[in-house]
Amino acid sequence: MTKLSKTMQRVWKSAQLYIGFHRDQDGKRRDAPKVWPPKNARSTIHADPTEQETFVMLKSVDGDDAQDVQIKLRPDMIVLRRDCPDAWDGIIADQHSVKVKVGGVSIRVNFDGSIAREDGDSTTWVEADGGVLKKTEFVEAAMSPDGSELTRRIPDNLTAITRSGLVSRGR
Protein backbone atom coordinates (compact mmCIF):
# COMPACT_ATOMS: atom_id res chain seq x y z
CA MET A 1 0.00 0.00 0.00
CA THR A 2 1.41 3.41 -0.90
CA LYS A 3 1.68 6.28 1.55
CA LEU A 4 -1.04 8.18 -0.35
CA SER A 5 -3.54 5.33 -0.22
CA LYS A 6 -2.99 4.95 3.56
CA THR A 7 -3.83 8.60 4.22
CA MET A 8 -6.38 9.27 1.48
CA GLN A 9 -9.92 9.96 2.63
CA ARG A 10 -12.82 9.57 0.24
CA VAL A 11 -14.73 12.85 -0.20
CA TRP A 12 -16.70 12.36 -3.43
CA LYS A 13 -18.89 9.43 -4.43
CA SER A 14 -20.08 10.44 -7.91
CA ALA A 15 -19.74 12.98 -10.70
CA GLN A 16 -22.31 13.73 -13.40
CA LEU A 17 -21.92 16.00 -16.42
CA TYR A 18 -24.96 18.15 -17.27
CA ILE A 19 -25.97 20.72 -19.86
CA GLY A 20 -28.42 23.43 -18.84
CA PHE A 21 -30.50 24.88 -21.68
CA HIS A 22 -31.88 28.36 -20.91
CA ARG A 23 -34.08 28.55 -24.03
CA ASP A 24 -36.66 26.13 -25.38
CA GLN A 25 -36.59 24.72 -28.93
CA ASP A 26 -38.58 27.76 -30.16
CA GLY A 27 -35.97 30.14 -28.74
CA LYS A 28 -38.09 31.34 -25.80
CA ARG A 29 -36.35 31.92 -22.48
CA ARG A 30 -37.19 29.35 -19.80
CA ASP A 31 -37.94 30.29 -16.19
CA ALA A 32 -35.51 27.58 -15.10
CA PRO A 33 -33.00 25.84 -17.36
CA LYS A 34 -33.73 22.35 -18.67
CA VAL A 35 -30.95 20.19 -17.33
CA TRP A 36 -29.89 17.23 -19.44
CA PRO A 37 -27.08 14.68 -18.95
CA PRO A 38 -25.47 14.05 -22.35
CA LYS A 39 -25.36 10.37 -23.28
CA ASN A 40 -21.76 10.43 -24.51
CA ALA A 41 -20.56 12.51 -21.50
CA ARG A 42 -19.26 15.24 -23.84
CA SER A 43 -20.37 18.83 -24.22
CA THR A 44 -19.30 21.91 -26.09
CA ILE A 45 -18.74 24.89 -23.83
CA HIS A 46 -21.13 27.50 -25.19
CA ALA A 47 -19.78 31.03 -25.72
CA ASP A 48 -22.72 32.52 -23.76
CA PRO A 49 -23.43 30.77 -20.43
CA THR A 50 -26.77 32.60 -20.15
CA GLU A 51 -27.90 30.54 -23.16
CA GLN A 52 -26.36 27.16 -22.33
CA GLU A 53 -24.28 25.97 -19.41
CA THR A 54 -22.05 22.96 -19.02
CA PHE A 55 -21.42 21.79 -15.48
CA VAL A 56 -20.43 18.80 -13.39
CA MET A 57 -22.15 17.90 -10.12
CA LEU A 58 -19.92 16.20 -7.55
CA LYS A 59 -21.88 14.40 -4.83
CA SER A 60 -20.27 14.10 -1.42
CA VAL A 61 -19.71 10.71 0.08
CA ASP A 62 -21.53 11.66 3.32
CA GLY A 63 -24.75 12.61 1.49
CA ASP A 64 -24.79 16.20 2.80
CA ASP A 65 -26.06 18.45 -0.01
CA ALA A 66 -24.11 21.41 1.46
CA GLN A 67 -20.89 19.48 0.72
CA ASP A 68 -21.82 18.81 -2.93
CA VAL A 69 -19.84 20.86 -5.45
CA GLN A 70 -21.00 22.26 -8.77
CA ILE A 71 -18.22 22.84 -11.33
CA LYS A 72 -19.32 25.30 -14.03
CA LEU A 73 -17.28 25.17 -17.22
CA ARG A 74 -17.28 28.53 -18.99
CA PRO A 75 -15.29 29.73 -22.00
CA ASP A 76 -13.26 32.17 -19.86
CA MET A 77 -13.22 30.52 -16.42
CA ILE A 78 -14.02 27.52 -14.26
CA VAL A 79 -16.33 28.18 -11.30
CA LEU A 80 -16.70 25.86 -8.30
CA ARG A 81 -19.54 26.57 -5.90
CA ARG A 82 -21.20 24.95 -2.94
CA ASP A 83 -23.53 25.96 -0.13
CA CYS A 84 -21.26 25.13 2.79
CA PRO A 85 -21.29 27.89 5.42
CA ASP A 86 -18.31 26.51 7.37
CA ALA A 87 -15.78 26.37 4.53
CA TRP A 88 -15.09 27.79 1.08
CA ASP A 89 -18.22 28.43 -0.96
CA GLY A 90 -16.77 29.65 -4.25
CA ILE A 91 -13.65 29.30 -6.39
CA ILE A 92 -13.05 30.99 -9.73
CA ALA A 93 -10.07 30.02 -11.88
CA ASP A 94 -9.39 32.10 -14.97
CA GLN A 95 -6.40 32.82 -17.18
CA HIS A 96 -4.86 35.29 -14.71
CA SER A 97 -5.84 34.25 -11.19
CA VAL A 98 -7.56 31.89 -8.80
CA LYS A 99 -10.10 33.46 -6.43
CA VAL A 100 -11.50 31.74 -3.35
CA LYS A 101 -14.41 32.99 -1.27
CA VAL A 102 -14.48 31.82 2.34
CA GLY A 103 -17.10 33.19 4.75
CA GLY A 104 -17.26 36.69 3.26
CA VAL A 105 -13.50 36.90 2.67
CA SER A 106 -12.17 36.90 -0.88
CA ILE A 107 -8.63 35.66 -1.56
CA ARG A 108 -7.04 36.05 -5.00
CA VAL A 109 -3.79 34.42 -6.12
CA ASN A 110 -2.55 36.14 -9.28
CA PHE A 111 -0.51 34.60 -12.10
CA ASP A 112 2.69 36.19 -10.75
CA GLY A 113 2.27 34.70 -7.26
CA SER A 114 0.98 37.87 -5.61
CA ILE A 115 -1.97 37.45 -3.25
CA ALA A 116 -4.81 39.80 -2.28
CA ARG A 117 -7.15 39.25 0.67
CA GLU A 118 -10.29 41.37 0.90
CA ASP A 119 -13.04 41.50 3.46
CA GLY A 120 -15.60 44.21 4.14
CA ASP A 121 -13.16 46.35 6.13
CA SER A 122 -9.67 45.87 4.73
CA THR A 123 -7.46 44.70 1.90
CA THR A 124 -4.10 42.99 2.32
CA TRP A 125 -1.68 42.38 -0.54
CA VAL A 126 1.36 40.14 -0.56
CA GLU A 127 3.32 41.16 -3.63
CA ALA A 128 5.19 38.65 -5.79
CA ASP A 129 8.50 39.91 -4.35
CA GLY A 130 7.29 39.38 -0.75
CA GLY A 131 6.35 42.95 0.12
CA VAL A 132 3.18 43.34 2.19
CA LEU A 133 0.60 46.14 2.03
CA LYS A 134 -2.45 46.53 4.28
CA LYS A 135 -5.17 49.14 3.82
CA THR A 136 -8.14 49.83 6.06
CA GLU A 137 -10.42 52.82 6.47
CA PHE A 138 -8.03 54.25 9.09
CA VAL A 139 -4.52 53.11 8.21
CA GLU A 140 -2.18 52.03 5.42
CA ALA A 141 0.79 49.87 6.37
CA ALA A 142 3.61 48.36 4.34
CA MET A 143 6.59 46.09 4.87
CA SER A 144 9.45 45.75 2.39
CA PRO A 145 10.14 42.35 0.82
CA ASP A 146 13.13 41.73 3.08
CA GLY A 147 11.33 43.01 6.21
CA SER A 148 13.89 45.74 6.84
CA GLU A 149 11.52 48.68 6.26
CA LEU A 150 8.07 49.33 7.68
CA THR A 151 5.71 52.24 7.15
CA ARG A 152 2.41 53.24 8.70
CA ARG A 153 0.28 56.03 7.34
CA ILE A 154 -2.73 57.42 9.20
CA PRO A 155 -4.64 60.60 8.33
CA ASP A 156 -2.43 62.87 10.45
CA ASN A 157 0.88 60.99 10.64
CA LEU A 158 3.43 58.99 8.65
CA THR A 159 5.80 56.72 10.55
CA ALA A 160 8.56 54.67 8.94
CA ILE A 161 11.28 52.37 10.15
CA THR A 162 14.04 52.50 7.56
CA ARG A 163 17.62 51.32 7.36
CA SER A 164 18.59 54.80 8.59
CA GLY A 165 16.32 54.74 11.62
CA LEU A 166 12.87 55.86 12.71
CA VAL A 167 11.03 58.68 10.95
CA SER A 168 7.73 60.09 12.15
CA ARG A 169 6.07 63.16 10.66
CA GLY A 170 2.77 64.90 11.05
CA ARG A 171 0.86 65.60 7.90
Side-chain angles (χ1 to χ4, degrees), residues 7-8 21 23 25 31 42-43 53 59-60 68 76 91 98 100 102 109 117 124 128 141 145:
T7 61
M8 187 170 53
F21 297 95
R23 294 195 182 271
Q25 291 177 334
D31 292 334
R42 295 180 62 93
S43 174
E53 291 183 277
K59 292 291 189 179
S60 72
D68 294 349
D76 58 341
I91 299 174
V98 175
V100 179
V102 181
V109 180
R117 180 199 182 277
T124 306

mmCIF file of all heavy atoms in Angstrom, residues 7-8 21 23 25 31 42-43 53 59-60 68 76 91 98 100 102 109 117 124 128 141 145:
data_model
loop_
_atom_site.group_PDB
_atom_site.id
_atom_site.type_symbol
_atom_site.label_atom_id
_atom_site.label_comp_id
_atom_site.label_asym_id
_atom_site.label_seq_id
_atom_site.Cartn_x
_atom_site.Cartn_y
_atom_site.Cartn_z
ATOM 1 N N THR A 7 -3.340 7.359 3.635
ATOM 2 C CA THR A 7 -3.827 8.605 4.222
ATOM 3 C C THR A 7 -5.011 9.200 3.467
ATOM 4 O O THR A 7 -5.634 10.124 3.952
ATOM 5 C CB THR A 7 -2.702 9.652 4.256
ATOM 6 O OG1 THR A 7 -2.278 9.924 2.921
ATOM 7 C CG2 THR A 7 -1.539 9.177 5.098
ATOM 8 N N MET A 8 -5.326 8.693 2.299
ATOM 9 C CA MET A 8 -6.375 9.268 1.483
ATOM 10 C C MET A 8 -7.749 9.022 2.104
ATOM 11 O O MET A 8 -8.054 7.918 2.540
ATOM 12 C CB MET A 8 -6.320 8.678 0.065
ATOM 13 C CG MET A 8 -7.258 9.348 -0.895
ATOM 14 S SD MET A 8 -7.000 8.852 -2.611
ATOM 15 C CE MET A 8 -7.086 7.095 -2.534
ATOM 16 N N PHE A 21 -30.003 24.094 -20.545
ATOM 17 C CA PHE A 21 -30.501 24.884 -21.683
ATOM 18 C C PHE A 21 -31.436 25.970 -21.152
ATOM 19 O O PHE A 21 -32.448 25.669 -20.517
ATOM 20 C CB PHE A 21 -31.243 23.987 -22.680
ATOM 21 C CG PHE A 21 -30.358 22.941 -23.305
ATOM 22 C CD1 PHE A 21 -30.281 21.665 -22.780
ATOM 23 C CD2 PHE A 21 -29.594 23.256 -24.419
ATOM 24 C CE1 PHE A 21 -29.469 20.706 -23.352
ATOM 25 C CE2 PHE A 21 -28.767 22.300 -25.006
ATOM 26 C CZ PHE A 21 -28.714 21.023 -24.465
ATOM 27 N N ARG A 23 -33.020 28.236 -23.061
ATOM 28 C CA ARG A 23 -34.082 28.550 -24.028
ATOM 29 C C ARG A 23 -34.711 27.243 -24.503
ATOM 30 O O ARG A 23 -34.045 26.222 -24.578
ATOM 31 C CB ARG A 23 -33.532 29.322 -25.219
ATOM 32 C CG ARG A 23 -33.033 30.706 -24.827
ATOM 33 C CD ARG A 23 -32.831 31.581 -26.057
ATOM 34 N NE ARG A 23 -32.318 32.869 -25.673
ATOM 35 C CZ ARG A 23 -33.076 33.908 -25.349
ATOM 36 N NH1 ARG A 23 -34.379 33.815 -25.387
ATOM 37 N NH2 ARG A 23 -32.531 35.062 -25.022
ATOM 38 N N GLN A 25 -36.904 24.976 -27.513
ATOM 39 C CA GLN A 25 -36.592 24.725 -28.928
ATOM 40 C C GLN A 25 -37.109 25.819 -29.841
ATOM 41 O O GLN A 25 -36.640 25.974 -30.968
ATOM 42 C CB GLN A 25 -37.141 23.363 -29.343
ATOM 43 C CG GLN A 25 -36.387 22.231 -28.683
ATOM 44 C CD GLN A 25 -36.958 20.868 -29.016
ATOM 45 O OE1 GLN A 25 -38.128 20.729 -29.322
ATOM 46 N NE2 GLN A 25 -36.100 19.860 -28.927
ATOM 47 N N ASP A 31 -38.026 29.783 -17.563
ATOM 48 C CA ASP A 31 -37.937 30.292 -16.192
ATOM 49 C C ASP A 31 -36.783 29.620 -15.448
ATOM 50 O O ASP A 31 -36.072 30.261 -14.676
ATOM 51 C CB ASP A 31 -39.246 30.044 -15.431
ATOM 52 C CG ASP A 31 -40.393 30.884 -15.983
ATOM 53 O OD1 ASP A 31 -40.127 31.954 -16.566
ATOM 54 O OD2 ASP A 31 -41.550 30.458 -15.817
ATOM 55 N N ARG A 42 -20.036 14.173 -23.202
ATOM 56 C CA ARG A 42 -19.264 15.240 -23.837
ATOM 57 C C ARG A 42 -20.179 16.430 -24.063
ATOM 58 O O ARG A 42 -21.364 16.270 -24.330
ATOM 59 C CB ARG A 42 -18.679 14.785 -25.166
ATOM 60 C CG ARG A 42 -17.660 13.679 -25.036
ATOM 61 C CD ARG A 42 -17.120 13.261 -26.377
ATOM 62 N NE ARG A 42 -16.430 14.340 -27.061
ATOM 63 C CZ ARG A 42 -15.124 14.561 -26.982
ATOM 64 N NH1 ARG A 42 -14.388 13.780 -26.247
ATOM 65 N NH2 ARG A 42 -14.566 15.549 -27.635
ATOM 66 N N SER A 43 -19.597 17.626 -23.992
ATOM 67 C CA SER A 43 -20.372 18.829 -24.222
ATOM 68 C C SER A 43 -19.463 19.925 -24.749
ATOM 69 O O SER A 43 -18.314 20.049 -24.321
ATOM 70 C CB SER A 43 -21.019 19.303 -22.915
ATOM 71 O OG SER A 43 -21.662 20.543 -23.103
ATOM 72 N N GLU A 53 -25.350 26.207 -20.370
ATOM 73 C CA GLU A 53 -24.278 25.973 -19.409
ATOM 74 C C GLU A 53 -23.845 24.515 -19.435
ATOM 75 O O GLU A 53 -24.669 23.630 -19.645
ATOM 76 C CB GLU A 53 -24.757 26.264 -17.983
ATOM 77 C CG GLU A 53 -25.021 27.708 -17.692
ATOM 78 C CD GLU A 53 -25.408 27.893 -16.241
ATOM 79 O OE1 GLU A 53 -26.583 27.688 -15.916
ATOM 80 O OE2 GLU A 53 -24.504 28.229 -15.441
ATOM 81 N N LYS A 59 -21.108 14.740 -6.024
ATOM 82 C CA LYS A 59 -21.881 14.398 -4.834
ATOM 83 C C LYS A 59 -20.915 13.956 -3.732
ATOM 84 O O LYS A 59 -20.008 13.147 -3.972
ATOM 85 C CB LYS A 59 -22.877 13.277 -5.128
ATOM 86 C CG LYS A 59 -23.983 13.696 -6.060
ATOM 87 C CD LYS A 59 -24.881 14.684 -5.364
ATOM 88 C CE LYS A 59 -26.113 14.968 -6.183
ATOM 89 N NZ LYS A 59 -26.994 15.917 -5.495
ATOM 90 N N SER A 60 -21.141 14.458 -2.533
ATOM 91 C CA SER A 60 -20.272 14.102 -1.418
ATOM 92 C C SER A 60 -20.573 12.700 -0.930
ATOM 93 O O SER A 60 -21.697 12.211 -1.047
ATOM 94 C CB SER A 60 -20.415 15.099 -0.273
ATOM 95 O OG SER A 60 -21.655 14.929 0.362
ATOM 96 N N ASP A 68 -21.876 19.040 -1.488
ATOM 97 C CA ASP A 68 -21.825 18.814 -2.933
ATOM 98 C C ASP A 68 -21.213 20.023 -3.623
ATOM 99 O O ASP A 68 -21.362 21.158 -3.171
ATOM 100 C CB ASP A 68 -23.231 18.575 -3.496
ATOM 101 C CG ASP A 68 -23.860 17.293 -2.982
ATOM 102 O OD1 ASP A 68 -23.159 16.482 -2.360
ATOM 103 O OD2 ASP A 68 -25.077 17.127 -3.204
ATOM 104 N N ASP A 76 -14.320 31.332 -20.398
ATOM 105 C CA ASP A 76 -13.256 32.166 -19.861
ATOM 106 C C ASP A 76 -12.841 31.810 -18.438
ATOM 107 O O ASP A 76 -11.905 32.391 -17.898
ATOM 108 C CB ASP A 76 -13.661 33.631 -19.908
ATOM 109 C CG ASP A 76 -14.943 33.911 -19.132
ATOM 110 O OD1 ASP A 76 -15.705 32.955 -18.857
ATOM 111 O OD2 ASP A 76 -15.184 35.083 -18.802
ATOM 112 N N ILE A 91 -15.001 29.203 -5.817
ATOM 113 C CA ILE A 91 -13.654 29.295 -6.388
ATOM 114 C C ILE A 91 -13.813 29.640 -7.856
ATOM 115 O O ILE A 91 -14.624 29.028 -8.555
ATOM 116 C CB ILE A 91 -12.869 27.970 -6.250
ATOM 117 C CG1 ILE A 91 -12.701 27.588 -4.778
ATOM 118 C CG2 ILE A 91 -11.505 28.074 -6.949
ATOM 119 C CD1 ILE A 91 -12.076 26.223 -4.564
ATOM 120 N N VAL A 98 -6.643 32.799 -9.470
ATOM 121 C CA VAL A 98 -7.562 31.888 -8.799
ATOM 122 C C VAL A 98 -8.119 32.660 -7.613
ATOM 123 O O VAL A 98 -7.355 33.202 -6.801
ATOM 124 C CB VAL A 98 -6.849 30.608 -8.311
ATOM 125 C CG1 VAL A 98 -7.799 29.733 -7.515
ATOM 126 C CG2 VAL A 98 -6.264 29.838 -9.483
ATOM 127 N N VAL A 100 -10.776 32.610 -4.282
ATOM 128 C CA VAL A 100 -11.496 31.740 -3.353
ATOM 129 C C VAL A 100 -12.303 32.622 -2.418
ATOM 130 O O VAL A 100 -11.776 33.606 -1.878
ATOM 131 C CB VAL A 100 -10.521 30.869 -2.525
ATOM 132 C CG1 VAL A 100 -11.278 29.984 -1.557
ATOM 133 C CG2 VAL A 100 -9.632 30.039 -3.432
ATOM 134 N N VAL A 102 -14.328 32.579 1.110
ATOM 135 C CA VAL A 102 -14.485 31.820 2.341
ATOM 136 C C VAL A 102 -15.160 32.730 3.363
ATOM 137 O O VAL A 102 -14.553 33.705 3.806
ATOM 138 C CB VAL A 102 -13.125 31.344 2.912
ATOM 139 C CG1 VAL A 102 -13.318 30.532 4.167
ATOM 140 C CG2 VAL A 102 -12.338 30.564 1.882
ATOM 141 N N VAL A 109 -5.182 34.726 -5.815
ATOM 142 C CA VAL A 109 -3.786 34.424 -6.121
ATOM 143 C C VAL A 109 -3.600 34.727 -7.605
ATOM 144 O O VAL A 109 -4.232 34.102 -8.456
ATOM 145 C CB VAL A 109 -3.435 32.945 -5.820
ATOM 146 C CG1 VAL A 109 -1.978 32.676 -6.157
ATOM 147 C CG2 VAL A 109 -3.739 32.607 -4.367
ATOM 148 N N ARG A 117 -6.101 39.714 -0.239
ATOM 149 C CA ARG A 117 -7.146 39.247 0.673
ATOM 150 C C ARG A 117 -8.048 40.431 0.976
ATOM 151 O O ARG A 117 -7.574 41.470 1.434
ATOM 152 C CB ARG A 117 -6.535 38.734 1.967
ATOM 153 C CG ARG A 117 -7.569 38.227 2.949
ATOM 154 C CD ARG A 117 -7.001 38.152 4.364
ATOM 155 N NE ARG A 117 -7.953 37.634 5.304
ATOM 156 C CZ ARG A 117 -8.899 38.352 5.906
ATOM 157 N NH1 ARG A 117 -9.028 39.625 5.650
ATOM 158 N NH2 ARG A 117 -9.726 37.775 6.765
ATOM 159 N N THR A 124 -5.507 43.294 2.077
ATOM 160 C CA THR A 124 -4.103 42.985 2.324
ATOM 161 C C THR A 124 -3.528 42.393 1.046
ATOM 162 O O THR A 124 -4.144 41.525 0.440
ATOM 163 C CB THR A 124 -3.956 41.970 3.474
ATOM 164 O OG1 THR A 124 -4.632 42.463 4.624
ATOM 165 C CG2 THR A 124 -2.491 41.721 3.796
ATOM 166 N N ALA A 128 4.405 39.793 -5.299
ATOM 167 C CA ALA A 128 5.189 38.653 -5.794
ATOM 168 C C ALA A 128 6.608 38.653 -5.220
ATOM 169 O O ALA A 128 7.191 37.594 -5.013
ATOM 170 C CB ALA A 128 5.232 38.665 -7.318
ATOM 171 N N ALA A 141 -0.477 50.367 5.846
ATOM 172 C CA ALA A 141 0.791 49.872 6.371
ATOM 173 C C ALA A 141 1.502 49.064 5.293
ATOM 174 O O ALA A 141 0.853 48.448 4.451
ATOM 175 C CB ALA A 141 0.554 49.005 7.608
ATOM 176 N N PRO A 145 9.994 43.789 1.054
ATOM 177 C CA PRO A 145 10.144 42.350 0.820
ATOM 178 C C PRO A 145 11.116 41.665 1.773
ATOM 179 O O PRO A 145 10.895 40.526 2.180
ATOM 180 C CB PRO A 145 10.638 42.260 -0.617
ATOM 181 C CG PRO A 145 10.146 43.498 -1.260
ATOM 182 C CD PRO A 145 10.160 44.549 -0.186
#
